């Protein structure tokens, strides 16, 4: 027996408020069916008390009649679930998980709750295997590890879409294990969606799943689409032993949707109007990356975060950075100088690469070379600053070598354009550009590797 | 027992808002009571407020799917820790549920409603008494011990109990069996190994003492420049990517303490996995036991329930106090207290309390004090007389790396050492990225102990390095304007030495076997080399010997690499470098003595 409410009194888009009848044991978080004049909408209970139930309507509340008997609200007993299946690979869906590529509906293998449960920390396997993105600044200096969450911090007007498309198309695990990429568009522009679709089709979409929530789609959907994508990822990774790489673009839209709903609920804001629980909320998404002991699959996340006004201390990138295992930061300066991909090495960091690279995985010299590149590039920047003040005549011979190194680094190592490089290629290029420094300056590299790999200046 | 069953105090849920629920109908209730929420889901909660007979409860688990009017039972006891052997080598969530045991029951993901004992009830421990039948004991007295790995786990008489021991003998007991009775007039108390203590109440102690012994961390920048005392309190603030967690991990591995309590409070799951992977394999050099055997881990990762995160640091400190009361030195690492403060903020928001700065509740400072004040060097209640300590090193994650935010500023009020991590150093891969001008330590009373028991010259070296580093700070900005070559030679020497000290002393490489841990002797000998270079070069420069000669010294490269190349057990190599340095400086002196 289900109770049908017709006493809707308050609507604050996208929320509905109504008073429950006595002894109706409404479930927190349960799904709500809203029958309106023009069809059925779906909602979810956000909070409930004897006085008031707050419901968020996924499709928005526009046009829902108040005070008319036509609007009928009934509470279902279950919480939010979606049907998942291996058939989803190669398909395109909207933010609610409904196919939008003109194909048949999905026949679910299984129904899953979209909120997921936290992985028991004792059951986590520490991420140790690399993913090759084909990009030197990623693979060489900020290696992506299976099970890691490594965000891209970008700004408006930077070519992150191009970079993402390149990663989605080129990323591979170095073994023959099954590998799937999920692209989750959160509040992206219709034009960007088109761009991604074209780019992905260039390479074929047989191992890709897209979930697209457009900027014009309902706000609430933005809060749901990453959960749907991650639930699908968990199903593929832990049920079917696949390695899943999931790109969430863009988490700034997600966080803004969170703020919008929080604001309407009348919650007390913390920083910049964002709710105090934003850290926990973001964590509930990011922490779904990982590996589990004894299971073959893995979930790797690349969330994209647009830094409002390029401000890395803005709450969205800030809280993200505290949860994720490193960050890859795009640089406006690089972009203006025509370097692609414009990844700024010094601000970027992959926390998990240290244990995953090296012999048997990438190459024995990888860790030392990466450390040397960082140190040398950092020194180059200092010398460049000094040079701009005191002039190039007054700097020492050694300093000049660093200037040479720095320009090679930017021109050849960083600026690779849309080419694809293996780990091997990346490291060989690194040794080439280190060459002008001379072997004596390479104090972070073991002597045996210098002997083996150092390229004498031609 | 049956009578109790009938007297169950029950109420019904009248409101659910995130992890905060309201319950109507308790006939008896007090703040701090634990409750069982819903007979279907069995979620654990704690009463945190009572308004007009309505209990406001924070739930330690997700409330999704909880129903209005569901039944809530008041369990009428406060949230307490189980204390006894079995704590070491365990990993718990924020309210002391053993995560490895939960995994056995529910698999790879944590489900709700798990009621499990923190300590194993079956396992037998060999109890060896240290008092005899007929002896009179009082609260806090040690009556015997069980061996828990390398640790002598003392069994103590609980608070409020005193009397004559009867029926004590050596034997194998599980933790809930009676090991002896304590008879006082007509009352008989059955002593068990297991005891319990509520997490919000500090365990009482006899007397607080002034911390005057260093806690050796094996990290040079701390041991020499910003020391912490046993029983001291340190905050480690740093934005993301500055290496807070790696620093906490390395302290947990290397610091000199009998018991480590590591609280992963609202942090990353993969980092906890890293610790759990590496700790059982790493060996404590002092007793060759795996490091895990001196460690208690609390893992309440960022995606686990927020109320349990709030409780986690109090759970941790309660366990730490228990080991302190045995007369042990305990190190508590909390990563990160900011996540704890955020949990407090989130709950406060759900309670619709009036926020202060940054949305934090007005009682943030009070709660922080409640936590940090439980550290200290303590004279324990009971016989035999013993002293124990809890040192707290709490990581702080200031939003945007801005140290003026409320958690950092309030924490600063309660700590005596401040290890400020600097993103610019981290960008340059200078780890540990401790900024030497923003950090401080007020534990300068440790000099006496260092001079007498560890190594001479501690105070003097500190002064010398501080001088060089602070002078370099001033000079480097001038050098940037006019070029370092145009400074007077004395000043060039300062900049040069400071760079040497940074590269060869302050940076410490956690992946290098020689460098990971720096024994106090190595630390002192190493810095001695740099200071010798500085002092002797300075006196030669004053004799007009040009500065570039010192930069050309070949031994400098070996000194710079010494931290990586020289093992703690092989410090003779540093003596050799010392001799070589003397020889080379003498050579320069001679060359120029002929010329001048």
């Amino acid at each position: 027996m289900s109770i049908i409410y017709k006493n809707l009194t308050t609507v604050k888009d996208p929320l509905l408020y109504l008073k429950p009848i006595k002894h109706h044991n409404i479930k927190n978080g349960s799904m709500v069916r809203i029958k309106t004049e023009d069809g059925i909408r779906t909602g979810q209970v956000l909070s409930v008390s004897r006085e008031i139930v707050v419901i968020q309507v996924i499709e928005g509340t526009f046009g829902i009649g108040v005070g008319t008997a036509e609007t009928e609200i009934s509470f279902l007993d279950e919480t939010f679930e979606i049907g998942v299946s291996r058939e989803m690979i190669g398909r395109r869906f909207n933010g609610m998980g409904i196919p939008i590529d003109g194909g048949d509906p999905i026949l679910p293998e299984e129904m899953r709750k979209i909120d997921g449960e936290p992985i028991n920390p004792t059951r986590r396997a520490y991420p140790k295997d690399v993913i090759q993105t084909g990009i030197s600044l990623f693979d060489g200096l900020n290696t992506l590890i299976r099970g890691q969450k490594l965000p891209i911090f970008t700004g408006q007007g930077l070519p992150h879409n191009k970079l993402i498309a390149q990663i989605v198309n080129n990323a591979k695990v170095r073994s023959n294990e099954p590998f799937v990429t999920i692209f989750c568009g959160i509040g992206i522009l219709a034009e960007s969606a088109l761009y991604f679709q074209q780019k992905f089709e260039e390479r074929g979409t047989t191992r890709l799943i897209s979930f697209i929530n457009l900027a014009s789609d309902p706000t609430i959907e933005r809060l749901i689409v990453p959960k749907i994508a991650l639930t699908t990822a968990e199903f593929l990774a832990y049920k079917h032993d696949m390695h899943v790489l999931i790109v969430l673009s863009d988490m700034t839209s997600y966080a803004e949707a969170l703020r919008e709903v929080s604001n309407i609920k009348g919650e007390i804001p913390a920083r910049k109007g964002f709710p105090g629980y934003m850290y926990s909320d973001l964590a509930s998404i990011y922490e779904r990356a990982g590996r589990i002991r004894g299971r073959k699959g893995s979930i790797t996340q690349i969330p994209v975060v647009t830094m409002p006004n390029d401000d890395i201390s803005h709450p969205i990138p800030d809280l993200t950075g505290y949860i994720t295992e490193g960050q890859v930061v795009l640089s406006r300066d690089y972009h203006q100088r025509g370097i692609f991909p414009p990844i700024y090495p010094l601000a970027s960091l992959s926390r998990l690469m240290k244990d995953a690279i090296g012999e048997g995985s990438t190459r024995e010299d990888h860790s030392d070379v990466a450390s040397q590149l960082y140190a040398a590039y950092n020194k180059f920047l200092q010398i460049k600053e000094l040079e701009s003040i005191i002039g190039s005549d007054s700097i020492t011979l050694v300093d000049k070598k660093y200037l040479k190194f720095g320009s090679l680094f930017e021109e050849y190592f960083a600026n690779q354009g849309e080419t694809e490089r293996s780990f091997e290629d990346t490291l060989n290029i690194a040794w080439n550009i280190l060459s002008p420094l001379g072997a004596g300056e390479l104090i972070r590299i073991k002597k045996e590797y210098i002997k083996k790999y150092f390229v004498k200046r031609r | 027992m049956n009578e109790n069953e009938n007297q169950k105090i029950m109420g019904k849920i009248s409101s659910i808002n995130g992890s905060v629920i309201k319950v109507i109908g308790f006939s008896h209730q007090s703040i701090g009571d634990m409750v069982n929420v819903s007979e279907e889901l069995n979620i654990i909660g704690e009463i945190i407020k009572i308004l007009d007979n309505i209990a406001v409860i924070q739930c330690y688990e997700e409330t999704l799917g909880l129903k209005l009017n569901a039944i809530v039972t008041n369990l009428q006891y406060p949230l307490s820790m189980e204390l006894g052997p079995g704590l070491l080598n365990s990993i718990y969530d924020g309210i002391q549920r053993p995560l490895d045991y939960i995994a056995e029951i529910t698999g790879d993901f944590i489900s709700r409603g798990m009621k499990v004992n923190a300590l194993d009830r079956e396992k037998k421990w060999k109890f060896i008494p240290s008092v005899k039948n007929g002896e009179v004991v009082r609260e806090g007295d040690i009556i015997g011990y069980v061996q828990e790995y390398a640790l002598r786990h003392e069994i103590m008489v609980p608070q409020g109990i005193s009397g004559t021991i009867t029926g004590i003998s050596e034997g194998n007991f599980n933790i809930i069996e009676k090991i002896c009775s304590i008879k006082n007039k007509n009352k008989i108390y059955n002593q068990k190994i297991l005891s319990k203590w509520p997490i919000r109440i500090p365990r009482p102690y006899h007397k607080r003492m002034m911390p005057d012994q260093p806690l050796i961390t094996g990290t040079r920048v701390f041991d020499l420049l910003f020391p912490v005392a046993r029983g001291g309190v340190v905050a480690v603030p740093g934005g993301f990517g500055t290496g807070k967690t790696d620093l906490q991990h390395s302290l947990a591995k290397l610091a000199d303490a009998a018991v480590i309590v590591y609280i992963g409070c609202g942090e990353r799951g993969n980092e906890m996995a890293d610790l759990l992977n590496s700790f059982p394999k790493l060996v404590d050099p002092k007793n060759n036991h795996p490091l895990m055997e001196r460690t208690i881990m609390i893992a309440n990762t960022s995606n686990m329930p927020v109320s349990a995160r709030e409780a986690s640091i109090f759970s941790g400190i309660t366990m730490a106090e228990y080991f302190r009361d045995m007369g042990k030195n305990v190190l508590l690492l909390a990563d990160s207290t900011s996540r704890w403060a955020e949990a407090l903020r989130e709950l406060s928001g759900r309670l619709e309390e009036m926020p202060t700065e940054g949305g934090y509740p007005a009682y943030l400072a009070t709660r922080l004090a409640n936590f940090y004040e439980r550290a200290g060097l303590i004279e324990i209640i009971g016989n035999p007389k013993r002293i124990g300590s809890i040192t707290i090193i709490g990581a702080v994650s200031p939003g945007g790396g801005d140290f003026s935010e409320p958690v950092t500023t309030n924490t600063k009020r309660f700590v005596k050492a401040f290890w400020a991590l600097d993103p610019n150093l981290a960008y340059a891969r200078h780890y540990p990225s401790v900024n030497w001008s923003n950090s401080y330590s007020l534990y300068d009373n440790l000099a006496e102990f260092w001079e007498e028991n560890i190594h001479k010259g501690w105070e003097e070296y500190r002064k010398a390095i501080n001088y060089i580093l602070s002078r370099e700070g001033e000079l480097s900005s001038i050098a940037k304007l006019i070029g370092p070559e145009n400074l007077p030679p004395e000043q060039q020497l300062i900049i040069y030495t400071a760079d040497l000290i940074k590269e060869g002393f302050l940076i410490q490489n956690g992946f290098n076997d020689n460098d990971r841990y720096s024994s106090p002797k190595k630390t002192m000998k190493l810095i001695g080399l740099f200071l010798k270079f500085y002092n002797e070069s300075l006196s030669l420069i004053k004799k007009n010997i040009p500065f570039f000669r010192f930069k050309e010294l070949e031994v400098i490269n070996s000194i710079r690499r010494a931290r990586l190349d020289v093992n703690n057990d092989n410090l003779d190599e540093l003596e050799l470098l010392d001799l070589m340095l003397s020889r080379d400086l003498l050579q320069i002196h001679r060359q120029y003595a002929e010329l001048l």
Side-chain angles (χ1 to χ4, degrees):
Chain A
M1 178 207 74
S2 101
I3 301 165
I4 293 172
Y5 285 88
K6 296 185 176 181
N7 63 338
L8 183 63
T9 51
T10 311
V11 182
K12 286 194 220 164
D13 191 58
L15 305 182
L16 302 180
Y17 296 73
L18 57 85
K19 185 175 165 57
I21 56 164
K22 237 182 179 179
H23 306 303
H24 184 195
N25 304 337
I26 297 171
K27 209 182 229 183
N28 185 28
S30 60
M31 300 305 296
V32 184
R33 192 168 166 276
I34 304 146
K35 199 173 150 232
T36 66
E37 278 176 334
D38 25 82
I40 289 171
R41 301 190 199 185
T42 315
Q44 193 178 12
V45 175
L46 283 187
S47 72
V48 53
S49 72
R50 286 184 181 174
E51 287 71 43
I52 203 116
V53 186
V54 183
I55 301 161
Q56 70 177 12
V57 185
I58 289 159
E59 295 90 345
T61 52
F62 190 79
I64 291 186
V66 178
T68 65
E70 274 115 35
T71 307
E72 296 181 354
I73 296 169
S74 53
F75 294 87
L76 311 175
D77 201 41
E78 72 261 24
T79 49
F80 209 128
E81 285 185 342
I82 60 153
V84 284
S85 159
R86 270 170 295 175
E87 281 176 30
M88 295 168 83
I89 300 170
R91 303 285 305 270
R92 216 146 47 81
F93 302 89
N94 72 3
M96 293 302 288
I98 296 161
I100 48 167
D101 53 2
D104 296 333
I106 297 296
L107 214 63
E109 281 177 57
E110 194 179 303
M111 297 301 286
R112 282 190 172 226
K113 289 200 170 103
I114 64 161
D115 286 291
E117 285 176 326
I119 301 177
N120 188 322
T122 61
R123 297 300 307 157
R124 273 185 190 268
Y126 188 58
K128 277 221 160 97
D129 306 290
V130 298
I131 290 177
Q132 180 177 304
T133 63
I135 294 164
S136 289
L137 285 169
F138 254 102
D139 296 347
L141 294 180
N142 300 291
T143 320
L144 181 64
I145 313 300
R146 287 183 221 162
Q148 184 177 22
K149 39 199 179 294
L150 185 63
I152 296 175
F153 286 179
T154 176
Q156 277 103 4
L158 290 178
H160 44 268
N161 285 352
K162 190 171 158 192
L163 176 62
I164 295 162
Q166 193 172 339
I167 293 171
V168 168
N169 282 341
N170 294 348
K172 47 175 75 80
V173 291
R174 292 187 98 199
S175 49
N176 277 330
E177 291 165 59
F179 182 67
V180 177
T181 313
I182 296 181
F183 177 78
C184 175
I186 310 165
I188 58 172
L189 299 174
E191 210 170 286
S192 309
L194 214 58
Y195 171 81
F196 282 123
Q197 201 185 327
Q198 281 171 2
K199 276 283 171 188
F200 295 156
E201 277 166 5
E202 279 173 21
R203 198 66 181 243
T205 55
T206 50
R207 43 155 231 190
L208 178 77
I209 308 176
S210 302
F211 293 93
I212 307 286
N213 162 271
L214 295 175
S216 52
D217 288 338
T219 311
I220 303 289
E221 236 182 69
R222 302 202 223 306
L223 300 178
I224 289 172
V225 65
K227 291 180 183 159
I228 290 183
L230 282 162
T231 307
T232 312
E234 279 168 1
F235 168 75
L236 296 174
Y238 303 137
K239 184 97 181 195
H240 292 294
D241 294 340
M242 296 181 183
H243 296 294
V244 185
L245 172 68
I246 173 163
V247 177
L248 302 161
S249 175
D250 162 335
M251 286 304 286
T252 303
S253 305
Y254 175 86
E256 276 163 0
L258 200 66
R259 174 168 67 180
E260 194 177 322
V261 175
S262 163
N263 185 289
I264 293 160
K265 279 197 273 181
E267 289 170 340
I268 291 159
R271 265 198 292 160
K272 293 208 168 158
F274 290 97
Y277 52 78
M278 187 156 87
Y279 177 83
S280 305
D281 193 283
L282 289 174
S284 73
I285 289 181
Y286 296 142
E287 279 291 328
R288 286 170 85 170
R291 281 174 59 215
I292 293 180
R293 288 183 194 201
R295 301 204 196 196
K296 285 192 188 127
S298 65
I299 298 176
T300 312
Q301 282 184 19
I302 302 185
V304 179
V305 176
T306 309
M307 299 181 282
N309 202 20
D310 288 358
D311 177 10
I312 200 169
S313 66
H314 184 281
I316 304 170
D318 191 46
L319 294 180
T320 298
Y322 274 122
I323 305 164
T324 54
E325 285 120 4
Q327 68 279 336
V328 167
V329 183
L330 302 194
S331 145
R332 202 165 288 278
D333 172 51
Y334 268 29
H335 179 56
Q336 279 159 356
R337 288 196 279 134
I339 298 173
F340 182 85
I343 296 171
Y344 187 60
L346 294 189
S348 304
L349 169 76
S350 164
R351 288 165 190 269
L352 300 181
M353 73 184 275
K354 58 184 196 283
D355 296 316
I357 57 173
E359 208 177 340
S361 151
T362 54
R363 208 168 79 181
E364 53 184 0
D365 55 328
H366 190 162
S367 167
D368 285 6
V369 168
S371 164
Q372 186 66 60
L373 285 175
Y374 266 119
Y377 190 68
N378 189 47
K379 191 152 180 187
F380 156 72
L381 290 179
Q382 285 172 7
I383 293 167
K384 206 169 124 187
E385 196 189 334
L386 189 68
E387 188 207 14
S388 69
I389 299 165
I390 63 172
S392 55
D393 298 338
S394 339
I395 60 171
T396 65
L397 222 55
V398 180
D399 288 356
K400 282 190 176 135
K401 288 181 183 171
Y402 275 94
L403 290 178
K404 173 84 180 152
F405 159 80
S407 66
L408 287 174
F409 179 91
E410 290 175 356
E411 202 173 327
Y412 294 105
F413 190 80
N415 187 22
Q416 71 178 90
E418 287 184 77
T419 57
E420 187 183 349
R421 290 177 185 164
S422 68
F423 279 107
E424 199 76 18
D425 295 342
T426 292
L427 289 171
N428 290 340
I429 292 169
W431 279 103
N432 268 312
I433 60 166
L434 284 170
S435 150
L437 291 178
E441 284 293 313
L442 308 182
I443 51 164
R444 302 217 177 179
I445 303 181
K446 277 205 194 101
K447 290 196 178 110
E448 48 175 301
Y449 300 151
I450 295 183
K451 210 179 261 175
K452 193 163 165 189
Y453 296 104
F454 185 69
V455 190
K456 287 244 167 63
R457 250 179 128 175
R458 276 149 289 167
Chain B
M1 239 6 231
N2 262 339
E3 218 174 32
N4 259 342
E5 284 288 308
N6 296 335
Q7 287 178 351
K8 258 191 181 174
I9 295 174
M10 294 194 292
K12 282 182 172 181
I13 298 180
S14 69
S15 156
I16 308 166
N17 180 10
S19 55
V20 174
I21 62 168
K22 289 182 184 162
V23 170
I24 292 181
F26 284 147
S27 58
H28 176 88
Q29 55 188 331
S30 46
I31 300 260
D33 280 352
M34 298 291 288
V35 296
N36 182 64
V37 180
S38 157
E39 294 183 326
E40 180 188 353
L41 299 174
N42 290 312
I43 296 171
I44 303 167
E46 181 184 0
I47 301 181
I48 49 174
K49 244 185 207 182
I50 301 165
L51 306 166
D52 284 339
N53 268 323
I54 299 173
V56 180
I57 289 165
Q58 67 176 28
C59 295
Y60 287 117
E61 285 170 295
E62 177 61 55
T63 56
L64 222 57
L66 195 61
K67 279 180 183 165
L68 203 58
N69 298 318
I71 289 176
V72 180
T73 315
N74 186 350
L75 304 171
Q76 288 184 280
Y77 56 77
L79 179 55
S80 303
M81 291 292 106
E82 290 197 345
L83 303 169
L87 284 174
L88 297 180
N89 196 7
S90 289
I91 171 158
Y92 295 111
D93 75 351
I95 50 172
Q96 214 196 14
R97 287 181 300 184
L99 286 170
D100 42 358
Y101 188 62
I102 288 184
E104 277 174 32
I105 304 171
T106 71
D108 298 337
F109 296 88
I110 301 176
S111 322
R112 281 183 297 188
M114 294 297 307
K115 293 256 160 55
V116 282
N117 290 323
L119 294 173
D120 189 342
R121 298 284 195 269
E122 312 274 302
K123 184 170 179 181
K124 296 271 187 185
W125 298 88
K126 188 175 185 193
F127 172 70
I128 297 165
S130 56
V131 293
K132 295 189 189 76
N133 284 325
E135 264 185 58
V136 175
V137 292
R138 305 175 62 174
E139 60 179 16
D141 285 0
I142 290 174
I143 56 168
Y145 73 94
V146 301
Q147 192 70 30
E148 186 180 12
Y149 307 113
L151 182 122
R152 188 180 153 116
H153 191 118
E154 314 280 5
I155 309 299
M156 295 165 282
V157 178
Q159 290 303 308
I161 304 289
S162 62
T164 315
I165 293 273
T166 56
I168 197 166
S169 68
E170 193 179 310
N172 291 314
F173 302 93
N174 69 33
I175 57 171
I176 47 172
E177 277 172 322
K178 183 179 92 171
I179 51 170
C180 69
S181 298
I182 298 171
K183 204 174 159 189
N184 192 351
K185 288 172 195 155
N186 304 327
K187 281 188 194 154
I188 291 179
Y189 172 79
N190 290 332
Q191 169 92 36
K192 290 173 289 188
I193 292 178
L194 175 71
S195 65
K196 290 188 181 180
W197 193 266
I199 66 165
R200 311 267 176 203
I201 302 169
R203 283 170 73 93
Y205 53 81
H206 180 58
K207 205 166 82 185
R208 192 177 270 272
M209 297 164 67
M210 205 59 186
D212 58 356
Q213 291 184 16
L215 175 86
I216 300 295
T217 62
T219 305
R220 287 184 292 268
V221 62
F222 303 136
D223 287 345
L224 187 61
L225 286 182
F226 308 110
V228 52
R230 285 188 191 287
V233 187
V234 189
V236 190
F240 63 82
T242 50
K244 274 186 313 297
T245 300
D246 278 342
L247 183 66
Q248 294 269 24
H249 286 195
S250 108
L251 290 168
K253 287 172 193 164
L254 304 170
D256 178 22
V259 176
I260 306 277
V261 179
Y262 189 97
I263 309 173
C265 172
E267 287 289 311
R268 304 175 180 94
N270 280 334
E271 281 170 357
M272 289 315 293
D274 183 16
L275 275 184
L276 291 170
N277 264 341
S278 58
F279 264 53
K281 291 173 209 152
L282 293 170
V283 166
D284 185 350
K286 283 196 294 292
N287 53 24
N288 279 328
H289 278 260
L291 273 178
M292 198 58 210
E293 294 180 358
R294 67 163 189 178
T295 310
I296 304 169
M297 277 192 206
I298 298 179
N300 214 90
T301 55
S302 53
N303 55 340
M304 285 160 74
V306 67
S307 322
R309 193 196 300 166
E310 190 276 324
S312 66
I313 69 167
F314 291 103
S315 300
I317 195 94
T318 306
M319 294 188 233
E321 281 177 341
Y322 174 65
F323 284 100
R324 174 203 71 191
D325 286 353
M326 296 175 199
K328 314 286 182 198
N329 292 308
V330 184
L331 171 62
L332 183 137
L333 297 157
D335 183 21
S336 136
T337 57
S338 294
R339 303 296 159 237
W340 167 81
E342 277 168 10
L344 209 62
R345 174 170 72 185
E346 187 172 335
L347 293 167
S348 162
R350 300 238 186 248
L351 296 171
E352 290 165 3
E353 290 167 342
M354 185 74 84
T356 61
E357 199 187 343
Y360 290 100
Y363 47 78
L364 172 68
T366 318
R367 294 286 177 87
L368 274 171
N370 287 348
F371 170 61
Y372 282 113
E373 277 295 279
R374 287 169 82 168
L377 184 69
I378 299 293
E379 204 179 304
I380 317 291
I381 296 175
N383 285 313
K385 287 261 174 293
R386 56 201 188 267
I387 289 169
S389 72
I390 297 177
T391 312
I392 298 181
I393 301 180
V396 183
S397 320
D402 170 15
F403 288 1
S404 67
E405 58 91 42
V407 182
T408 316
T409 48
N410 279 311
T411 302
K412 254 182 151 171
R413 292 163 53 196
F414 308 115
V415 301
K416 279 181 74 182
F418 190 74
W419 298 343
L421 304 187
D422 182 343
N424 291 324
L425 291 175
Y427 283 177
R429 301 303 188 261
H430 174 128
Y431 292 117
S433 62
V434 180
N435 181 305
W436 43 89
S437 46
N438 293 346
S439 303
Y440 61 78
S441 164
L442 301 178
Y443 296 106
D444 36 18
N445 59 335
L446 302 174
E448 205 176 307
F449 189 89
W450 266 88
E451 304 287 332
E452 277 172 22
N453 300 300
I454 308 178
H455 202 286
K456 291 234 178 306
W458 188 72
E459 185 128 55
E460 180 198 326
Y461 286 2
R462 276 164 56 86
K463 275 190 191 139
I465 306 171
N466 278 327
Y467 171 76
I468 292 170
L469 290 176
S470 65
R471 276 294 280 156
E472 189 252 0
E474 298 160 21
L475 291 173
S476 63
S477 49
I478 304 172
K480 267 187 189 154
L481 284 178
I482 60 168
E485 263 72 42
N486 299 320
L487 289 173
E490 294 92 348
Q491 299 187 349
Q492 287 189 46
L493 178 67
I494 286 200
I495 293 183
Y496 185 71
T497 314
D499 281 344
L500 283 182
I501 290 178
K502 287 178 210 166
E503 175 77 24
F505 183 81
L506 294 178
I507 293 183
Q508 204 162 338
N509 183 345
F511 299 104
N512 181 294
D513 292 334
N514 291 329
D515 201 24
R516 185 178 305 125
Y517 179 83
S518 191
S519 70
K521 279 220 170 82
K522 179 175 171 186
T523 299
M524 295 299 282
K525 286 206 191 314
L526 205 54
I527 196 63
L529 282 175
F530 292 106
L531 292 175
K532 176 174 178 157
F533 167 77
Y534 174 75
N535 289 328
E536 301 202 354
S537 303
L538 185 64
S539 67
L540 293 178
I541 282 173
K542 282 186 179 150
K543 291 179 183 161
N544 286 328
I545 297 175
F547 171 64
F548 74 88
R549 290 290 284 119
F550 302 99
K551 272 173 106 169
E552 286 170 355
L553 286 180
E554 220 164 276
V555 67
I556 288 298
N557 273 333
S558 308
I559 293 177
R560 184 161 38 184
R561 288 188 63 103
R563 65 179 172 92
L564 301 166
D565 295 340
V566 179
N567 191 284
N568 285 311
D569 301 327
N570 214 353
L571 296 180
D572 291 350
E573 288 175 36
L574 291 179
E575 307 281 358
L576 191 68
L577 286 175
D578 192 88
L579 286 176
M580 284 163 70
L581 179 65
S582 302
R583 185 198 63 196
D584 290 0
L585 288 170
L586 192 68
Q587 214 170 0
I588 297 179
H589 192 189
R590 281 212 189 112
Q591 279 174 12
Y592 282 85
E594 286 163 19
L595 287 175
L596 296 171

